[in-house]
PDB file of all heavy atoms in Angstrom:
ATOM      1  N   GLY A  76      18.881  34.277  10.764  1.00  0.00           N
ATOM      2  CA  GLY A  76      19.093  33.081  11.565  1.00  0.00           C
ATOM      3  C   GLY A  76      17.836  32.775  12.360  1.00  0.00           C
ATOM      4  O   GLY A  76      16.868  33.557  12.377  1.00  0.00           O
ATOM      5  N   ALA A  77      17.860  31.637  13.038  1.00  0.00           N
ATOM      6  CA  ALA A  77      16.692  31.165  13.789  1.00  0.00           C
ATOM      7  C   ALA A  77      16.217  32.170  14.833  1.00  0.00           C
ATOM      8  O   ALA A  77      15.028  32.241  15.133  1.00  0.00           O
ATOM      9  CB  ALA A  77      17.006  29.829  14.441  1.00  0.00           C
ATOM     10  N   ALA A  78      17.123  32.965  15.366  1.00  0.00           N
ATOM     11  CA  ALA A  78      16.736  33.959  16.370  1.00  0.00           C
ATOM     12  C   ALA A  78      15.782  35.011  15.800  1.00  0.00           C
ATOM     13  O   ALA A  78      15.081  35.684  16.556  1.00  0.00           O
ATOM     14  CB  ALA A  78      17.972  34.635  16.956  1.00  0.00           C
ATOM     15  N   ALA A 120      22.715  35.415   9.277  1.00  0.00           N
ATOM     16  CA  ALA A 120      23.876  34.580   8.980  1.00  0.00           C
ATOM     17  C   ALA A 120      24.725  35.180   7.866  1.00  0.00           C
ATOM     18  O   ALA A 120      25.937  34.961   7.830  1.00  0.00           O
ATOM     19  CB  ALA A 120      23.420  33.178   8.583  1.00  0.00           C
ATOM     20  N   ASP A 150      28.509  35.745   8.608  1.00  0.00           N
ATOM     21  CA  ASP A 150      29.001  35.618   9.974  1.00  0.00           C
ATOM     22  C   ASP A 150      29.903  34.390  10.025  1.00  0.00           C
ATOM     23  O   ASP A 150      29.456  33.271   9.757  1.00  0.00           O
ATOM     24  CB  ASP A 150      27.816  35.463  10.932  1.00  0.00           C
ATOM     25  CG  ASP A 150      28.225  35.524  12.389  1.00  0.00           C
ATOM     26  OD1 ASP A 150      29.219  34.841  12.763  1.00  0.00           O
ATOM     27  OD2 ASP A 150      27.549  36.226  13.163  1.00  0.00           O
ATOM     28  N   SER A 151      31.170  34.588  10.349  1.00  0.00           N
ATOM     29  CA  SER A 151      32.147  33.495  10.308  1.00  0.00           C
ATOM     30  C   SER A 151      31.879  32.404  11.338  1.00  0.00           C
ATOM     31  O   SER A 151      32.451  31.323  11.256  1.00  0.00           O
ATOM     32  CB  SER A 151      33.563  34.049  10.484  1.00  0.00           C
ATOM     33  OG  SER A 151      33.683  34.678  11.742  1.00  0.00           O
ATOM     34  N   ARG A 152      30.981  32.660  12.283  1.00  0.00           N
ATOM     35  CA  ARG A 152      30.633  31.610  13.243  1.00  0.00           C
ATOM     36  C   ARG A 152      29.776  30.527  12.605  1.00  0.00           C
ATOM     37  O   ARG A 152      29.698  29.416  13.126  1.00  0.00           O
ATOM     38  CB  ARG A 152      29.898  32.211  14.448  1.00  0.00           C
ATOM     39  CG  ARG A 152      30.766  33.142  15.286  1.00  0.00           C
ATOM     40  CD  ARG A 152      29.956  33.835  16.347  1.00  0.00           C
ATOM     41  NE  ARG A 152      28.984  34.742  15.721  1.00  0.00           N
ATOM     42  CZ  ARG A 152      28.090  35.450  16.391  1.00  0.00           C
ATOM     43  NH1 ARG A 152      28.016  35.361  17.711  1.00  0.00           N
ATOM     44  NH2 ARG A 152      27.253  36.261  15.761  1.00  0.00           N
ATOM     45  N   VAL A 153      29.147  30.854  11.467  1.00  0.00           N
ATOM     46  CA  VAL A 153      28.254  29.885  10.840  1.00  0.00           C
ATOM     47  C   VAL A 153      28.614  29.598   9.377  1.00  0.00           C
ATOM     48  O   VAL A 153      28.203  28.597   8.819  1.00  0.00           O
ATOM     49  CB  VAL A 153      26.777  30.332  10.984  1.00  0.00           C
ATOM     50  CG1 VAL A 153      26.461  31.505  10.091  1.00  0.00           C
ATOM     51  CG2 VAL A 153      25.813  29.194  10.769  1.00  0.00           C
ATOM     52  N   PHE A 154      29.423  30.470   8.747  1.00  0.00           N
ATOM     53  CA  PHE A 154      29.830  30.262   7.355  1.00  0.00           C
ATOM     54  C   PHE A 154      31.264  30.725   7.196  1.00  0.00           C
ATOM     55  O   PHE A 154      31.561  31.910   7.405  1.00  0.00           O
ATOM     56  CB  PHE A 154      28.930  31.041   6.396  1.00  0.00           C
ATOM     57  CG  PHE A 154      29.181  30.734   4.941  1.00  0.00           C
ATOM     58  CD1 PHE A 154      28.496  29.720   4.312  1.00  0.00           C
ATOM     59  CD2 PHE A 154      30.109  31.471   4.219  1.00  0.00           C
ATOM     60  CE1 PHE A 154      28.713  29.429   2.970  1.00  0.00           C
ATOM     61  CE2 PHE A 154      30.345  31.192   2.880  1.00  0.00           C
ATOM     62  CZ  PHE A 154      29.647  30.174   2.250  1.00  0.00           C
ATOM     63  N   TRP A 159      28.895  26.145   5.028  1.00  0.00           N
ATOM     64  CA  TRP A 159      28.074  26.317   6.223  1.00  0.00           C
ATOM     65  C   TRP A 159      28.605  25.408   7.310  1.00  0.00           C
ATOM     66  O   TRP A 159      29.046  24.309   7.044  1.00  0.00           O
ATOM     67  CB  TRP A 159      26.604  25.973   5.930  1.00  0.00           C
ATOM     68  CG  TRP A 159      25.940  26.985   5.050  1.00  0.00           C
ATOM     69  CD1 TRP A 159      25.668  26.855   3.723  1.00  0.00           C
ATOM     70  CD2 TRP A 159      25.483  28.277   5.437  1.00  0.00           C
ATOM     71  NE1 TRP A 159      25.068  27.998   3.258  1.00  0.00           N
ATOM     72  CE2 TRP A 159      24.937  28.879   4.294  1.00  0.00           C
ATOM     73  CE3 TRP A 159      25.482  28.984   6.635  1.00  0.00           C
ATOM     74  CZ2 TRP A 159      24.392  30.163   4.317  1.00  0.00           C
ATOM     75  CZ3 TRP A 159      24.932  30.256   6.653  1.00  0.00           C
ATOM     76  CH2 TRP A 159      24.398  30.833   5.500  1.00  0.00           C
ATOM     77  N   ASN A 160      28.558  25.895   8.541  1.00  0.00           N
ATOM     78  CA  ASN A 160      28.987  25.111   9.694  1.00  0.00           C
ATOM     79  C   ASN A 160      27.933  25.260  10.783  1.00  0.00           C
ATOM     80  O   ASN A 160      27.994  26.175  11.596  1.00  0.00           O
ATOM     81  CB  ASN A 160      30.347  25.594  10.200  1.00  0.00           C
ATOM     82  CG  ASN A 160      30.769  24.885  11.468  1.00  0.00           C
ATOM     83  OD1 ASN A 160      30.455  23.718  11.663  1.00  0.00           O
ATOM     84  ND2 ASN A 160      31.458  25.599  12.334  1.00  0.00           N
ATOM     85  N   PHE A 161      26.938  24.389  10.756  1.00  0.00           N
ATOM     86  CA  PHE A 161      25.876  24.421  11.752  1.00  0.00           C
ATOM     87  C   PHE A 161      26.277  23.514  12.915  1.00  0.00           C
ATOM     88  O   PHE A 161      26.542  22.334  12.725  1.00  0.00           O
ATOM     89  CB  PHE A 161      24.552  23.933  11.163  1.00  0.00           C
ATOM     90  CG  PHE A 161      24.028  24.791  10.040  1.00  0.00           C
ATOM     91  CD1 PHE A 161      23.772  24.241   8.799  1.00  0.00           C
ATOM     92  CD2 PHE A 161      23.773  26.142  10.232  1.00  0.00           C
ATOM     93  CE1 PHE A 161      23.270  25.021   7.766  1.00  0.00           C
ATOM     94  CE2 PHE A 161      23.270  26.929   9.207  1.00  0.00           C
ATOM     95  CZ  PHE A 161      23.023  26.362   7.976  1.00  0.00           C
ATOM     96  N   ASP A 162      26.335  24.094  14.112  1.00  0.00           N
ATOM     97  CA  ASP A 162      26.598  23.291  15.303  1.00  0.00           C
ATOM     98  C   ASP A 162      25.823  23.881  16.476  1.00  0.00           C
ATOM     99  O   ASP A 162      25.183  24.927  16.349  1.00  0.00           O
ATOM    100  CB  ASP A 162      28.105  23.174  15.591  1.00  0.00           C
ATOM    101  CG  ASP A 162      28.784  24.517  15.868  1.00  0.00           C
ATOM    102  OD1 ASP A 162      28.172  25.403  16.517  1.00  0.00           O
ATOM    103  OD2 ASP A 162      29.938  24.688  15.448  1.00  0.00           O
ATOM    104  N   ALA A 163      25.888  23.225  17.601  1.00  0.00           N
ATOM    105  CA  ALA A 163      25.109  23.663  18.770  1.00  0.00           C
ATOM    106  C   ALA A 163      25.519  25.056  19.234  1.00  0.00           C
ATOM    107  O   ALA A 163      24.694  25.796  19.781  1.00  0.00           O
ATOM    108  CB  ALA A 163      25.269  22.660  19.902  1.00  0.00           C
ATOM    109  N   GLY A 164      26.748  25.466  18.994  1.00  0.00           N
ATOM    110  CA  GLY A 164      27.236  26.757  19.446  1.00  0.00           C
ATOM    111  C   GLY A 164      26.741  27.944  18.643  1.00  0.00           C
ATOM    112  O   GLY A 164      26.883  29.086  19.070  1.00  0.00           O
ATOM    113  N   ASN A 165      26.165  27.695  17.458  1.00  0.00           N
ATOM    114  CA  ASN A 165      25.690  28.815  16.636  1.00  0.00           C
ATOM    115  C   ASN A 165      24.226  28.620  16.202  1.00  0.00           C
ATOM    116  O   ASN A 165      23.813  29.107  15.161  1.00  0.00           O
ATOM    117  CB  ASN A 165      26.603  29.028  15.425  1.00  0.00           C
ATOM    118  CG  ASN A 165      26.684  27.813  14.512  1.00  0.00           C
ATOM    119  OD1 ASN A 165      25.825  26.943  14.505  1.00  0.00           O
ATOM    120  ND2 ASN A 165      27.742  27.758  13.709  1.00  0.00           N
ATOM    121  N   ALA A 166      23.445  27.940  17.026  1.00  0.00           N
ATOM    122  CA  ALA A 166      22.063  27.593  16.676  1.00  0.00           C
ATOM    123  C   ALA A 166      21.204  28.807  16.336  1.00  0.00           C
ATOM    124  O   ALA A 166      20.314  28.713  15.480  1.00  0.00           O
ATOM    125  CB  ALA A 166      21.416  26.782  17.798  1.00  0.00           C
ATOM    126  N   ASP A 167      21.433  29.955  16.977  1.00  0.00           N
ATOM    127  CA  ASP A 167      20.643  31.156  16.676  1.00  0.00           C
ATOM    128  C   ASP A 167      20.893  31.682  15.272  1.00  0.00           C
ATOM    129  O   ASP A 167      20.108  32.477  14.750  1.00  0.00           O
ATOM    130  CB  ASP A 167      20.916  32.263  17.690  1.00  0.00           C
ATOM    131  CG  ASP A 167      20.167  32.066  18.995  1.00  0.00           C
ATOM    132  OD1 ASP A 167      19.303  31.165  19.069  1.00  0.00           O
ATOM    133  OD2 ASP A 167      20.432  32.825  19.939  1.00  0.00           O
ATOM    134  N   LEU A 168      21.999  31.258  14.644  1.00  0.00           N
ATOM    135  CA  LEU A 168      22.325  31.701  13.289  1.00  0.00           C
ATOM    136  C   LEU A 168      21.995  30.664  12.230  1.00  0.00           C
ATOM    137  O   LEU A 168      22.208  30.905  11.041  1.00  0.00           O
ATOM    138  CB  LEU A 168      23.817  32.063  13.200  1.00  0.00           C
ATOM    139  CG  LEU A 168      24.237  33.296  14.001  1.00  0.00           C
ATOM    140  CD1 LEU A 168      25.751  33.446  13.991  1.00  0.00           C
ATOM    141  CD2 LEU A 168      23.560  34.548  13.468  1.00  0.00           C
ATOM    142  N   HIS A 169      21.464  29.510  12.624  1.00  0.00           N
ATOM    143  CA  HIS A 169      21.076  28.507  11.629  1.00  0.00           C
ATOM    144  C   HIS A 169      19.979  29.088  10.748  1.00  0.00           C
ATOM    145  O   HIS A 169      19.063  29.759  11.235  1.00  0.00           O
ATOM    146  CB  HIS A 169      20.566  27.240  12.311  1.00  0.00           C
ATOM    147  CG  HIS A 169      21.633  26.488  13.039  1.00  0.00           C
ATOM    148  ND1 HIS A 169      21.411  25.231  13.533  1.00  0.00           N
ATOM    149  CD2 HIS A 169      22.910  26.801  13.365  1.00  0.00           C
ATOM    150  CE1 HIS A 169      22.504  24.797  14.138  1.00  0.00           C
ATOM    151  NE2 HIS A 169      23.425  25.742  14.049  1.00  0.00           N
ATOM    152  N   THR A 170      20.065  28.830   9.457  1.00  0.00           N
ATOM    153  CA  THR A 170      19.083  29.371   8.523  1.00  0.00           C
ATOM    154  C   THR A 170      17.700  28.792   8.807  1.00  0.00           C
ATOM    155  O   THR A 170      17.566  27.699   9.356  1.00  0.00           O
ATOM    156  CB  THR A 170      19.490  29.074   7.068  1.00  0.00           C
ATOM    157  OG1 THR A 170      19.609  27.663   6.886  1.00  0.00           O
ATOM    158  CG2 THR A 170      20.798  29.771   6.721  1.00  0.00           C
ATOM    159  N   ARG A 181      14.334  24.943  11.231  1.00  0.00           N
ATOM    160  CA  ARG A 181      15.709  25.448  11.344  1.00  0.00           C
ATOM    161  C   ARG A 181      16.663  24.410  10.776  1.00  0.00           C
ATOM    162  O   ARG A 181      16.569  23.231  11.098  1.00  0.00           O
ATOM    163  CB  ARG A 181      16.034  25.719  12.808  1.00  0.00           C
ATOM    164  CG  ARG A 181      17.487  26.116  13.030  1.00  0.00           C
ATOM    165  CD  ARG A 181      17.826  26.451  14.450  1.00  0.00           C
ATOM    166  NE  ARG A 181      17.321  25.457  15.375  1.00  0.00           N
ATOM    167  CZ  ARG A 181      17.119  25.695  16.670  1.00  0.00           C
ATOM    168  NH1 ARG A 181      17.364  26.882  17.170  1.00  0.00           N
ATOM    169  NH2 ARG A 181      16.674  24.754  17.455  1.00  0.00           N
ATOM    170  N   ALA A 182      17.607  24.857   9.963  1.00  0.00           N
ATOM    171  CA  ALA A 182      18.649  23.968   9.453  1.00  0.00           C
ATOM    172  C   ALA A 182      19.568  23.598  10.612  1.00  0.00           C
ATOM    173  O   ALA A 182      19.638  24.309  11.597  1.00  0.00           O
ATOM    174  CB  ALA A 182      19.452  24.668   8.356  1.00  0.00           C
ATOM    175  N   GLY A 183      20.260  22.517  10.488  1.00  0.00           N
ATOM    176  CA  GLY A 183      21.217  22.191  11.530  1.00  0.00           C
ATOM    177  C   GLY A 183      21.627  20.742  11.593  1.00  0.00           C
ATOM    178  O   GLY A 183      22.715  20.430  12.023  1.00  0.00           O
TER     179      GLY A 183
END
Side-chain angles (χ1 to χ4, degrees):
D150 188 313
S151 62
R152 294 173 294 177
V153 72
F154 187 90
W159 290 103
N160 175 33
F161 297 123
D162 62 37
N165 60 21
D167 281 351
L168 293 172
H169 292 190
T170 59
R181 174 177 47 201

